[in-house]
Amino acid sequence: MTLTRLLTALVIPLALLTAPTFAATAANTETEQAGITLQQLQQTLAAHELVKGDFEQVRNLSMFSQPLSSSGHFVLSRQQGLWWQQTQPFPVSLVLTKNKLSQQFGTEAPQLMNADENPMVFYFSHLFLSLFQGDTQKLQEQFDVALSGDADNWTLALTPRTPPLTQVFTSIVLKGDENLDKLELTELRGDSTRISFTDQSHPSTLTQEEQSVFAL
Amino acid sequence: MSLPSELHHGKASRLAAVIWLACLLLAIAVLAVRFMPLISGQGQSPIETNILKLLPQNQQDPLAQKAFEQIAGAMEDKLLFLVKAPDDATAVKAASQFSEQLTSLDWLTDIQGKITETQQQAWGKLFYPHRFSLLTPEQQQRLSSQPATQTQKVVQSVYNPFSGVTANELSNDPFLLFRDYLQSLGQQAGQFRLDNGFLISRQTAPDGQAHSYVLITARLSGSPYSPSLQARLPELTLLEQTIAHTDFNGQQAQVLHTGVLFYAAFGTQSAKDEISTIGLGSLLGVILLLLIVYRSALPMTLALVSIGSGLLCALAACLLIFGKVHLFSLVFGASLIGVSIDYAFHYLTDRLAAGSRWNPVAGLKHIFAAITLGLITSLVGYLSMLVAPFPGLQQLALFSAIGLTGAYLTVVCWYPLLAASKVHDAPLPQLRLLNAALAFWQKPGLRYLLPSAILLAALFGLYHVHYDDDIRQLQALPEGLQTQEAEIKAVTGMGSTQQMLLLRARSEQALLTALSQTDHQLQGLKAEGKLTSFTSLGTYVPAEVQQKLNFELITQLYRSQGDKLAATLGMKQAPVAPEQFAPLTLTEFLASPASDALRFLWLGEQELGEDSAGKFASVVLLSGVNDARAIKALAANNGDISFLDKADEISSLFGEYRIRVTELLLLAFGLIYGLLTVRFGWRQACWVILPTVVASVAGLAVTNLTGLPLNLFNLLAVILILGIGIDYSLFFAEQSRHKELAGSASQATPARQSTLLAISLSAATTLLSFGLLALSHTMAIHSFGITVLTGIIVAWFLAPVSMKNLSTRREGA
């Protein structure tokens, strides 16, 4: 009996994603263009241990009178995880590692969350980490993948294959060259979120500050 | 006591034999009716293997009994599997294959591997319409003291790309309250997450390595105690082995399982194995003994006929009276082999000793008094157990008493006809040994010295013996199953304990309020580490009063913060406060497919007396209780809450049983002594009962040597010692009395020799049966066996002290 409690309790967090549902979109089959293969893309994106740069996020939701913009800096470490340092419109520091999530607003004390305590919280976080890292292997588990373009200008279109994602997104599109430059998430009702990355560089080591940030 | 005169006449004795034959045919008919459907594979076995059925129901609290039954019913047909692999991908692949293959087993239903979309949405569908009446305690606090922080939280989440806030969610729940509410309910999920629809968890196994575990559950189509279902278990084992031998891209996977079925099947199997080895060993031993001693097949056949008819009567009578026979009664009934065969031995040994002078009717007359008295004392011993208000003991007592009577009647009614032929004159086998043994007891002083010495040693042992009624000690569970269960428990946090709180209240709403208050207290105990988790309906359905408060807090939030939120995010419209209060009702909750797994917690409205504490009842399941005292204290503070612990209850029942059996044994000893004084006078009666008393004490004291605590089953063994031991000394006392009446010393020696031979045979068969029982892996059966073993040896050894004027009349060797 306790096992069924576990089952029921588990699927609850997913339910929030699915409140009103629509039919899932048709699945695309994986295609490989002549220009670049998935494997090559994976290799390209994995080539650098560290990626640093600026980001700009624009959330274009129909319920807002104007798009919601935010910007800041990011540090992506293959080993450590992601540091998302929003500066506009208000300062927030988000640190996401394999099993921890820390959130710090301005000068308040950081809030720390453990993946072990509630892995479902990390469902989206890890999805994003896979997107940022262009982890095509992991993404293929949940999406139908279509890759087009060449090594200098590729587009990776992801179509969700399994719930709960099918009930949230129609598509997720990644664009880039040596780096991931653009990420666009389109929701079922047409609302979208675009994140673009600029000024990307590949330092060989983390700074002292960055190291301490990741050491949660 | 003498043979009824009618039996002297051939006609009458033939009539008795025919009547007895008719009785036995009737018993066969009864058994045929009950067992026939089994042969065609239908119907439930009339043999009960569930040990809990031996115990009385909870009479003080019928509601508690109902709670137990409902919970046990909801649990017993569940199977739980964990597919274990070195990485997530392998685990999911193996789980997918395994759950697919499980569907091929038609005796499994509700196989839960991949969680379907519908299942994932069931909870959302149930709670979503009521989102404006549901808040976590934390949210209640925040909304009432600092509602502005909620606005802040929403703004931050909308900007945070990792929070997964979609436009859809934001427009339906602008203050993002519902996600936290569901999140808090989901917290109980522990360490599992969804991967390709499977529930998966990555954890460090007992071997120190990290493994991925996928959870799969299934339900049995019938009772786990059903033999036909247990017989299908190898099909499942085969599937599990297939997974273990499959190569998943160079990786291996393994299936762990737990569930009542596995334990029940093991119990049945080991009981079957033990009964067949013990039964077979005993039977072979008896056959061999009889062939050696009587040098003829006739006595063996006769002995088997008397045992067989005894078992037949006992089984038929028990099925008629109780509907089912418990396996334990059957095992104990095997003791009939030890007791009832004694009657046959005495008759046949007399025949052997008489040789060509044999007269079947006179032979019966010769032993009639002794075996009748033996039967009566045994019946007194067994039937005194009938007084106990425990169904297990009653069945046991009746089974033994009827079986014994059946065997006795076979000897009395049929033997004079069946054993009419004479045997050749020949000395009794092992005559020298028999004489030596008899001569041994002629030594003056031994009669006092030996029993006293044994008694003293036994009392010394008994003094150091300690009791342990804990039922958990008695279950010999297979190690493999236990380690699997331990690993499953470590990964899922789910144990198989049946500890729970039973709450009752006057109305449904009062019960929901009581549940949420109890939840709150349990939450506190959980934080203190006094229990791991609990499952309560209160977690899912707050009382309407609470929902109303939540609704007011939420409307208040919309009014005070709505504009501010809209302004900060640039919303086209400010969120509008909900108008209608739409509470989640218990009825709705229970009707939803989402509550499938929780429904059994609700006991509903009870038909109880006016003065009872409450009419509505529900159960809160507890798991990982580390401090039962804290839980008991919680229950003690509130008359409407009771703490139920099945293992504890059974253990205390065992304790009660033990005390009751001790009392009944003392009563039986008293009654038997009373009976003996009527026939032998108080002095001689003392000698007749002494060997059995010493044997009983020694049988209990021996547990001290094996280092095991004393339990109920040792005492049950004393019942057997009493039944058999008294017979041994009775026959000696009877034959010395007989000889005294006859006044001739010349016939005394052969009579003693044949008595000693007969009881030695009987002791040997009893030891064959119960010596093997002591080897059992089931602690209860082992305890029983070891006590019988010791007791019978002592009773047999000391039996000759009951001969009258033992040391004054010297018999030549």
Side-chain angles (χ1 to χ4, degrees), chain A residues 1 3-4 6-7 10 14 57 59 62-63 65 105 167 187 191, chain B residues 117 156 158-159 165 167 188-189 194 199 217 494 570 572 597 621:
Chain A
M1 41 77 243
L3 70 99
T4 31
L6 173 93
L7 265 173
L10 239 174
L14 291 171
Q57 175 184 272
R59 297 205 72 179
S62 64
M63 65 187 297
S65 46
F105 300 103
Q167 288 140 22
E187 295 175 26
D191 301 297
Chain B
E117 215 165 317
Q156 287 158 356
V158 172
Y159 278 103
V165 176
Q188 295 185 57
L194 273 182
L199 292 170
T217 62
M494 299 175 299
K572 287 174 183 160
L621 270 190

PDB file of all heavy atoms in Angstrom, chain A residues 1 3-4 6-7 10 14 57 59 62-63 65 105 167 187 191, chain B residues 117 156 158-159 165 167 188-189 194 199 217 494 570 572 597 621:
ATOM      1  N   MET A   1       0.820  -1.209   0.000  1.00  0.00           N
ATOM      2  CA  MET A   1       0.000   0.000   0.000  1.00  0.00           C
ATOM      3  C   MET A   1       0.844   1.243   0.000  1.00  0.00           C
ATOM      4  O   MET A   1       0.628   2.148  -0.752  1.00  0.00           O
ATOM      5  CB  MET A   1      -0.952  -0.006   1.177  1.00  0.00           C
ATOM      6  CG  MET A   1      -0.362  -0.511   2.473  1.00  0.00           C
ATOM      7  SD  MET A   1       0.698   0.646   3.324  1.00  0.00           S
ATOM      8  CE  MET A   1       2.237  -0.178   3.289  1.00  0.00           C
ATOM      9  N   LEU A   3       3.447   1.588  -1.293  1.00  0.00           N
ATOM     10  CA  LEU A   3       4.051   1.739  -2.604  1.00  0.00           C
ATOM     11  C   LEU A   3       3.131   2.495  -3.524  1.00  0.00           C
ATOM     12  O   LEU A   3       3.573   3.249  -4.378  1.00  0.00           O
ATOM     13  CB  LEU A   3       4.409   0.372  -3.190  1.00  0.00           C
ATOM     14  CG  LEU A   3       3.264  -0.519  -3.622  1.00  0.00           C
ATOM     15  CD1 LEU A   3       3.064  -0.423  -5.115  1.00  0.00           C
ATOM     16  CD2 LEU A   3       3.566  -1.931  -3.226  1.00  0.00           C
ATOM     17  N   THR A   4       1.846   2.315  -3.337  1.00  0.00           N
ATOM     18  CA  THR A   4       0.937   3.053  -4.200  1.00  0.00           C
ATOM     19  C   THR A   4       0.856   4.503  -3.776  1.00  0.00           C
ATOM     20  O   THR A   4       0.646   5.371  -4.594  1.00  0.00           O
ATOM     21  CB  THR A   4      -0.457   2.417  -4.208  1.00  0.00           C
ATOM     22  OG1 THR A   4      -0.658   1.824  -2.951  1.00  0.00           O
ATOM     23  CG2 THR A   4      -0.559   1.381  -5.284  1.00  0.00           C
ATOM     24  N   LEU A   6       3.363   6.062  -2.861  1.00  0.00           N
ATOM     25  CA  LEU A   6       4.538   6.598  -3.531  1.00  0.00           C
ATOM     26  C   LEU A   6       4.200   6.932  -4.979  1.00  0.00           C
ATOM     27  O   LEU A   6       4.476   8.016  -5.463  1.00  0.00           O
ATOM     28  CB  LEU A   6       5.652   5.552  -3.494  1.00  0.00           C
ATOM     29  CG  LEU A   6       6.864   5.940  -4.296  1.00  0.00           C
ATOM     30  CD1 LEU A   6       7.860   6.642  -3.417  1.00  0.00           C
ATOM     31  CD2 LEU A   6       7.493   4.733  -4.919  1.00  0.00           C
ATOM     32  N   LEU A   7       3.544   5.983  -5.625  1.00  0.00           N
ATOM     33  CA  LEU A   7       3.168   6.183  -7.013  1.00  0.00           C
ATOM     34  C   LEU A   7       2.328   7.427  -7.186  1.00  0.00           C
ATOM     35  O   LEU A   7       2.601   8.263  -8.024  1.00  0.00           O
ATOM     36  CB  LEU A   7       2.329   4.986  -7.468  1.00  0.00           C
ATOM     37  CG  LEU A   7       3.084   3.879  -8.158  1.00  0.00           C
ATOM     38  CD1 LEU A   7       2.154   2.719  -8.379  1.00  0.00           C
ATOM     39  CD2 LEU A   7       3.609   4.381  -9.472  1.00  0.00           C
ATOM     40  N   LEU A  10       4.059  10.645  -6.464  1.00  0.00           N
ATOM     41  CA  LEU A  10       5.061  10.957  -7.463  1.00  0.00           C
ATOM     42  C   LEU A  10       4.532  11.683  -8.668  1.00  0.00           C
ATOM     43  O   LEU A  10       5.175  12.563  -9.210  1.00  0.00           O
ATOM     44  CB  LEU A  10       5.631   9.632  -7.932  1.00  0.00           C
ATOM     45  CG  LEU A  10       7.101   9.537  -7.712  1.00  0.00           C
ATOM     46  CD1 LEU A  10       7.523   8.159  -8.055  1.00  0.00           C
ATOM     47  CD2 LEU A  10       7.805  10.536  -8.571  1.00  0.00           C
ATOM     48  N   LEU A  14       3.769  16.348 -11.588  1.00  0.00           N
ATOM     49  CA  LEU A  14       3.645  16.414 -13.033  1.00  0.00           C
ATOM     50  C   LEU A  14       2.301  16.973 -13.430  1.00  0.00           C
ATOM     51  O   LEU A  14       2.142  17.555 -14.489  1.00  0.00           O
ATOM     52  CB  LEU A  14       3.794  15.010 -13.618  1.00  0.00           C
ATOM     53  CG  LEU A  14       5.188  14.455 -13.498  1.00  0.00           C
ATOM     54  CD1 LEU A  14       5.181  12.999 -13.893  1.00  0.00           C
ATOM     55  CD2 LEU A  14       6.135  15.239 -14.359  1.00  0.00           C
ATOM     56  N   GLN A  57      16.944  37.059 -22.148  1.00  0.00           N
ATOM     57  CA  GLN A  57      15.757  36.223 -22.246  1.00  0.00           C
ATOM     58  C   GLN A  57      14.548  37.098 -22.505  1.00  0.00           C
ATOM     59  O   GLN A  57      14.370  38.122 -21.842  1.00  0.00           O
ATOM     60  CB  GLN A  57      15.575  35.433 -20.944  1.00  0.00           C
ATOM     61  CG  GLN A  57      14.290  34.617 -20.924  1.00  0.00           C
ATOM     62  CD  GLN A  57      14.063  33.906 -19.588  1.00  0.00           C
ATOM     63  OE1 GLN A  57      14.511  32.815 -19.374  1.00  0.00           O
ATOM     64  NE2 GLN A  57      13.365  34.596 -18.700  1.00  0.00           N
ATOM     65  N   ARG A  59      10.452  36.727 -22.747  1.00  0.00           N
ATOM     66  CA  ARG A  59       9.265  35.869 -22.644  1.00  0.00           C
ATOM     67  C   ARG A  59       8.104  36.610 -23.276  1.00  0.00           C
ATOM     68  O   ARG A  59       7.705  37.669 -22.806  1.00  0.00           O
ATOM     69  CB  ARG A  59       8.937  35.526 -21.180  1.00  0.00           C
ATOM     70  CG  ARG A  59      10.030  34.729 -20.488  1.00  0.00           C
ATOM     71  CD  ARG A  59       9.467  33.915 -19.346  1.00  0.00           C
ATOM     72  NE  ARG A  59       8.683  32.785 -19.844  1.00  0.00           N
ATOM     73  CZ  ARG A  59       8.089  31.898 -19.039  1.00  0.00           C
ATOM     74  NH1 ARG A  59       8.175  32.038 -17.721  1.00  0.00           N
ATOM     75  NH2 ARG A  59       7.411  30.902 -19.548  1.00  0.00           N
ATOM     76  N   SER A  62       1.074  36.003 -24.235  1.00  0.00           N
ATOM     77  CA  SER A  62      -0.061  36.812 -24.697  1.00  0.00           C
ATOM     78  C   SER A  62      -0.733  37.553 -23.542  1.00  0.00           C
ATOM     79  O   SER A  62      -1.370  38.576 -23.749  1.00  0.00           O
ATOM     80  CB  SER A  62      -1.057  35.927 -25.436  1.00  0.00           C
ATOM     81  OG  SER A  62      -1.578  34.973 -24.525  1.00  0.00           O
ATOM     82  N   MET A  63      -0.594  37.060 -22.362  1.00  0.00           N
ATOM     83  CA  MET A  63      -1.259  37.724 -21.236  1.00  0.00           C
ATOM     84  C   MET A  63      -0.508  38.974 -20.767  1.00  0.00           C
ATOM     85  O   MET A  63      -1.026  39.739 -19.965  1.00  0.00           O
ATOM     86  CB  MET A  63      -1.450  36.738 -20.071  1.00  0.00           C
ATOM     87  CG  MET A  63      -0.151  36.251 -19.461  1.00  0.00           C
ATOM     88  SD  MET A  63      -0.403  34.961 -18.235  1.00  0.00           S
ATOM     89  CE  MET A  63      -1.353  35.839 -17.008  1.00  0.00           C
ATOM     90  N   SER A  65       1.209  42.641 -21.541  1.00  0.00           N
ATOM     91  CA  SER A  65       1.031  43.709 -22.530  1.00  0.00           C
ATOM     92  C   SER A  65       2.306  43.919 -23.336  1.00  0.00           C
ATOM     93  O   SER A  65       2.265  44.401 -24.461  1.00  0.00           O
ATOM     94  CB  SER A  65       0.583  44.994 -21.847  1.00  0.00           C
ATOM     95  OG  SER A  65       1.371  45.223 -20.706  1.00  0.00           O
ATOM     96  N   PHE A 105      18.466  35.906  -4.102  1.00  0.00           N
ATOM     97  CA  PHE A 105      17.905  37.180  -4.567  1.00  0.00           C
ATOM     98  C   PHE A 105      18.652  38.308  -3.903  1.00  0.00           C
ATOM     99  O   PHE A 105      18.660  38.389  -2.661  1.00  0.00           O
ATOM    100  CB  PHE A 105      16.431  37.270  -4.227  1.00  0.00           C
ATOM    101  CG  PHE A 105      15.635  36.164  -4.877  1.00  0.00           C
ATOM    102  CD1 PHE A 105      15.218  35.067  -4.143  1.00  0.00           C
ATOM    103  CD2 PHE A 105      15.353  36.218  -6.231  1.00  0.00           C
ATOM    104  CE1 PHE A 105      14.516  34.058  -4.738  1.00  0.00           C
ATOM    105  CE2 PHE A 105      14.647  35.198  -6.832  1.00  0.00           C
ATOM    106  CZ  PHE A 105      14.223  34.115  -6.094  1.00  0.00           C
ATOM    107  N   GLN A 167       2.529  18.124 -23.300  1.00  0.00           N
ATOM    108  CA  GLN A 167       1.409  18.961 -22.875  1.00  0.00           C
ATOM    109  C   GLN A 167       1.829  20.384 -22.590  1.00  0.00           C
ATOM    110  O   GLN A 167       1.026  21.200 -22.166  1.00  0.00           O
ATOM    111  CB  GLN A 167       0.766  18.342 -21.629  1.00  0.00           C
ATOM    112  CG  GLN A 167      -0.004  17.102 -21.980  1.00  0.00           C
ATOM    113  CD  GLN A 167       0.164  16.027 -20.949  1.00  0.00           C
ATOM    114  OE1 GLN A 167       0.501  16.303 -19.810  1.00  0.00           O
ATOM    115  NE2 GLN A 167      -0.056  14.796 -21.348  1.00  0.00           N
ATOM    116  N   GLU A 187       5.278  27.316 -26.566  1.00  0.00           N
ATOM    117  CA  GLU A 187       4.261  26.600 -25.793  1.00  0.00           C
ATOM    118  C   GLU A 187       3.045  26.308 -26.660  1.00  0.00           C
ATOM    119  O   GLU A 187       2.909  26.860 -27.751  1.00  0.00           O
ATOM    120  CB  GLU A 187       3.864  27.417 -24.560  1.00  0.00           C
ATOM    121  CG  GLU A 187       5.012  27.573 -23.579  1.00  0.00           C
ATOM    122  CD  GLU A 187       4.674  28.489 -22.418  1.00  0.00           C
ATOM    123  OE1 GLU A 187       3.481  28.607 -22.086  1.00  0.00           O
ATOM    124  OE2 GLU A 187       5.607  29.078 -21.858  1.00  0.00           O
ATOM    125  N   ASP A 191       2.530  30.971 -26.945  1.00  0.00           N
ATOM    126  CA  ASP A 191       3.429  31.778 -26.126  1.00  0.00           C
ATOM    127  C   ASP A 191       4.838  31.235 -26.294  1.00  0.00           C
ATOM    128  O   ASP A 191       5.038  30.036 -26.470  1.00  0.00           O
ATOM    129  CB  ASP A 191       3.021  31.679 -24.654  1.00  0.00           C
ATOM    130  CG  ASP A 191       1.599  32.163 -24.434  1.00  0.00           C
ATOM    131  OD1 ASP A 191       1.333  33.344 -24.669  1.00  0.00           O
ATOM    132  OD2 ASP A 191       0.747  31.325 -24.051  1.00  0.00           O
TER     133      ASP A 191
ATOM    134  N   GLU B 117      -0.395   8.555 -19.325  1.00  0.00           N
ATOM    135  CA  GLU B 117      -0.729   9.974 -19.310  1.00  0.00           C
ATOM    136  C   GLU B 117      -1.944  10.220 -18.432  1.00  0.00           C
ATOM    137  O   GLU B 117      -1.987  11.160 -17.652  1.00  0.00           O
ATOM    138  CB  GLU B 117      -1.029  10.393 -20.749  1.00  0.00           C
ATOM    139  CG  GLU B 117      -0.586  11.786 -21.073  1.00  0.00           C
ATOM    140  CD  GLU B 117      -0.572  11.998 -22.575  1.00  0.00           C
ATOM    141  OE1 GLU B 117      -0.114  11.096 -23.301  1.00  0.00           O
ATOM    142  OE2 GLU B 117      -1.026  13.052 -22.990  1.00  0.00           O
ATOM    143  N   GLN B 156       9.695  36.288  -9.493  1.00  0.00           N
ATOM    144  CA  GLN B 156      10.979  35.597  -9.639  1.00  0.00           C
ATOM    145  C   GLN B 156      10.842  34.312 -10.439  1.00  0.00           C
ATOM    146  O   GLN B 156      11.678  34.011 -11.288  1.00  0.00           O
ATOM    147  CB  GLN B 156      11.574  35.300  -8.251  1.00  0.00           C
ATOM    148  CG  GLN B 156      12.112  36.550  -7.587  1.00  0.00           C
ATOM    149  CD  GLN B 156      12.217  36.416  -6.084  1.00  0.00           C
ATOM    150  OE1 GLN B 156      11.817  35.402  -5.509  1.00  0.00           O
ATOM    151  NE2 GLN B 156      12.745  37.439  -5.433  1.00  0.00           N
ATOM    152  N   VAL B 158       8.641  33.584 -12.735  1.00  0.00           N
ATOM    153  CA  VAL B 158       8.348  33.839 -14.147  1.00  0.00           C
ATOM    154  C   VAL B 158       9.638  34.140 -14.904  1.00  0.00           C
ATOM    155  O   VAL B 158       9.835  33.693 -16.031  1.00  0.00           O
ATOM    156  CB  VAL B 158       7.333  34.997 -14.296  1.00  0.00           C
ATOM    157  CG1 VAL B 158       7.190  35.396 -15.764  1.00  0.00           C
ATOM    158  CG2 VAL B 158       5.988  34.583 -13.724  1.00  0.00           C
ATOM    159  N   TYR B 159      10.557  34.855 -14.276  1.00  0.00           N
ATOM    160  CA  TYR B 159      11.828  35.171 -14.929  1.00  0.00           C
ATOM    161  C   TYR B 159      12.766  33.964 -14.959  1.00  0.00           C
ATOM    162  O   TYR B 159      13.575  33.832 -15.865  1.00  0.00           O
ATOM    163  CB  TYR B 159      12.526  36.338 -14.206  1.00  0.00           C
ATOM    164  CG  TYR B 159      11.991  37.692 -14.629  1.00  0.00           C
ATOM    165  CD1 TYR B 159      11.120  38.403 -13.821  1.00  0.00           C
ATOM    166  CD2 TYR B 159      12.364  38.251 -15.856  1.00  0.00           C
ATOM    167  CE1 TYR B 159      10.634  39.627 -14.199  1.00  0.00           C
ATOM    168  CE2 TYR B 159      11.873  39.487 -16.260  1.00  0.00           C
ATOM    169  CZ  TYR B 159      11.006  40.176 -15.420  1.00  0.00           C
ATOM    170  OH  TYR B 159      10.525  41.380 -15.812  1.00  0.00           O
ATOM    171  N   VAL B 165       7.601  27.767 -15.433  1.00  0.00           N
ATOM    172  CA  VAL B 165       6.287  28.419 -15.390  1.00  0.00           C
ATOM    173  C   VAL B 165       5.861  28.722 -16.817  1.00  0.00           C
ATOM    174  O   VAL B 165       6.554  29.432 -17.542  1.00  0.00           O
ATOM    175  CB  VAL B 165       6.342  29.726 -14.577  1.00  0.00           C
ATOM    176  CG1 VAL B 165       4.994  30.433 -14.630  1.00  0.00           C
ATOM    177  CG2 VAL B 165       6.738  29.442 -13.140  1.00  0.00           C
ATOM    178  N   ALA B 167       2.842  29.974 -19.719  1.00  0.00           N
ATOM    179  CA  ALA B 167       1.774  30.974 -19.828  1.00  0.00           C
ATOM    180  C   ALA B 167       0.458  30.352 -19.381  1.00  0.00           C
ATOM    181  O   ALA B 167      -0.365  30.990 -18.721  1.00  0.00           O
ATOM    182  CB  ALA B 167       1.662  31.445 -21.270  1.00  0.00           C
ATOM    183  N   GLN B 188       6.166  13.275  -0.570  1.00  0.00           N
ATOM    184  CA  GLN B 188       6.201  11.916  -0.034  1.00  0.00           C
ATOM    185  C   GLN B 188       6.794  10.935  -1.015  1.00  0.00           C
ATOM    186  O   GLN B 188       7.120   9.812  -0.668  1.00  0.00           O
ATOM    187  CB  GLN B 188       4.790  11.459   0.300  1.00  0.00           C
ATOM    188  CG  GLN B 188       4.174  12.260   1.407  1.00  0.00           C
ATOM    189  CD  GLN B 188       2.850  11.684   1.775  1.00  0.00           C
ATOM    190  OE1 GLN B 188       2.760  10.522   2.125  1.00  0.00           O
ATOM    191  NE2 GLN B 188       1.807  12.464   1.677  1.00  0.00           N
ATOM    192  N   ALA B 189       6.892  11.356  -2.265  1.00  0.00           N
ATOM    193  CA  ALA B 189       7.409  10.451  -3.275  1.00  0.00           C
ATOM    194  C   ALA B 189       8.852  10.092  -2.999  1.00  0.00           C
ATOM    195  O   ALA B 189       9.364   9.113  -3.522  1.00  0.00           O
ATOM    196  CB  ALA B 189       7.301  11.098  -4.641  1.00  0.00           C
ATOM    197  N   LEU B 194      10.400  10.538 -12.713  1.00  0.00           N
ATOM    198  CA  LEU B 194       9.919   9.848 -13.890  1.00  0.00           C
ATOM    199  C   LEU B 194      10.980   9.871 -14.973  1.00  0.00           C
ATOM    200  O   LEU B 194      11.590  10.894 -15.237  1.00  0.00           O
ATOM    201  CB  LEU B 194       8.662  10.522 -14.424  1.00  0.00           C
ATOM    202  CG  LEU B 194       7.330  10.084 -13.846  1.00  0.00           C
ATOM    203  CD1 LEU B 194       6.220  10.841 -14.533  1.00  0.00           C
ATOM    204  CD2 LEU B 194       7.110   8.592 -13.993  1.00  0.00           C
ATOM    205  N   LEU B 199       9.041   5.029 -13.004  1.00  0.00           N
ATOM    206  CA  LEU B 199       9.490   5.623 -11.753  1.00  0.00           C
ATOM    207  C   LEU B 199      10.891   5.107 -11.474  1.00  0.00           C
ATOM    208  O   LEU B 199      11.107   3.909 -11.345  1.00  0.00           O
ATOM    209  CB  LEU B 199       8.546   5.221 -10.618  1.00  0.00           C
ATOM    210  CG  LEU B 199       7.150   5.810 -10.719  1.00  0.00           C
ATOM    211  CD1 LEU B 199       6.227   5.179  -9.712  1.00  0.00           C
ATOM    212  CD2 LEU B 199       7.206   7.313 -10.524  1.00  0.00           C
ATOM    213  N   THR B 217       4.893  -2.374 -10.002  1.00  0.00           N
ATOM    214  CA  THR B 217       4.003  -3.055  -9.063  1.00  0.00           C
ATOM    215  C   THR B 217       2.960  -3.856  -9.833  1.00  0.00           C
ATOM    216  O   THR B 217       2.697  -3.587 -10.996  1.00  0.00           O
ATOM    217  CB  THR B 217       3.258  -2.058  -8.154  1.00  0.00           C
ATOM    218  OG1 THR B 217       2.442  -1.226  -8.976  1.00  0.00           O
ATOM    219  CG2 THR B 217       4.212  -1.198  -7.376  1.00  0.00           C
ATOM    220  N   MET B 494       9.679   1.888   1.898  1.00  0.00           N
ATOM    221  CA  MET B 494       8.435   1.211   2.221  1.00  0.00           C
ATOM    222  C   MET B 494       8.683  -0.129   2.881  1.00  0.00           C
ATOM    223  O   MET B 494       9.377  -0.974   2.324  1.00  0.00           O
ATOM    224  CB  MET B 494       7.629   1.007   0.947  1.00  0.00           C
ATOM    225  CG  MET B 494       7.283   2.309   0.309  1.00  0.00           C
ATOM    226  SD  MET B 494       6.459   2.106  -1.262  1.00  0.00           S
ATOM    227  CE  MET B 494       7.669   1.259  -2.195  1.00  0.00           C
ATOM    228  N   GLY B 570       3.460  43.416 -15.948  1.00  0.00           N
ATOM    229  CA  GLY B 570       2.877  44.008 -17.147  1.00  0.00           C
ATOM    230  C   GLY B 570       1.756  43.174 -17.713  1.00  0.00           C
ATOM    231  O   GLY B 570       1.647  42.977 -18.923  1.00  0.00           O
ATOM    232  N   LYS B 572      -1.959  42.213 -18.917  1.00  0.00           N
ATOM    233  CA  LYS B 572      -3.023  43.011 -19.541  1.00  0.00           C
ATOM    234  C   LYS B 572      -4.179  43.208 -18.560  1.00  0.00           C
ATOM    235  O   LYS B 572      -4.843  44.234 -18.560  1.00  0.00           O
ATOM    236  CB  LYS B 572      -3.525  42.308 -20.800  1.00  0.00           C
ATOM    237  CG  LYS B 572      -2.528  42.392 -21.952  1.00  0.00           C
ATOM    238  CD  LYS B 572      -3.015  41.563 -23.121  1.00  0.00           C
ATOM    239  CE  LYS B 572      -1.979  41.591 -24.251  1.00  0.00           C
ATOM    240  NZ  LYS B 572      -2.176  40.461 -25.175  1.00  0.00           N
ATOM    241  N   ALA B 597      -5.298   4.050  -4.656  1.00  0.00           N
ATOM    242  CA  ALA B 597      -4.370   3.408  -3.741  1.00  0.00           C
ATOM    243  C   ALA B 597      -4.544   3.862  -2.299  1.00  0.00           C
ATOM    244  O   ALA B 597      -3.882   3.354  -1.404  1.00  0.00           O
ATOM    245  CB  ALA B 597      -2.953   3.688  -4.197  1.00  0.00           C
ATOM    246  N   LEU B 621      -1.781   5.031   8.181  1.00  0.00           N
ATOM    247  CA  LEU B 621      -0.726   4.017   8.148  1.00  0.00           C
ATOM    248  C   LEU B 621       0.603   4.624   8.545  1.00  0.00           C
ATOM    249  O   LEU B 621       0.949   5.710   8.108  1.00  0.00           O
ATOM    250  CB  LEU B 621      -0.580   3.467   6.740  1.00  0.00           C
ATOM    251  CG  LEU B 621      -1.395   2.264   6.339  1.00  0.00           C
ATOM    252  CD1 LEU B 621      -0.897   1.774   5.001  1.00  0.00           C
ATOM    253  CD2 LEU B 621      -1.278   1.159   7.376  1.00  0.00           C
TER     254      LEU B 621
END
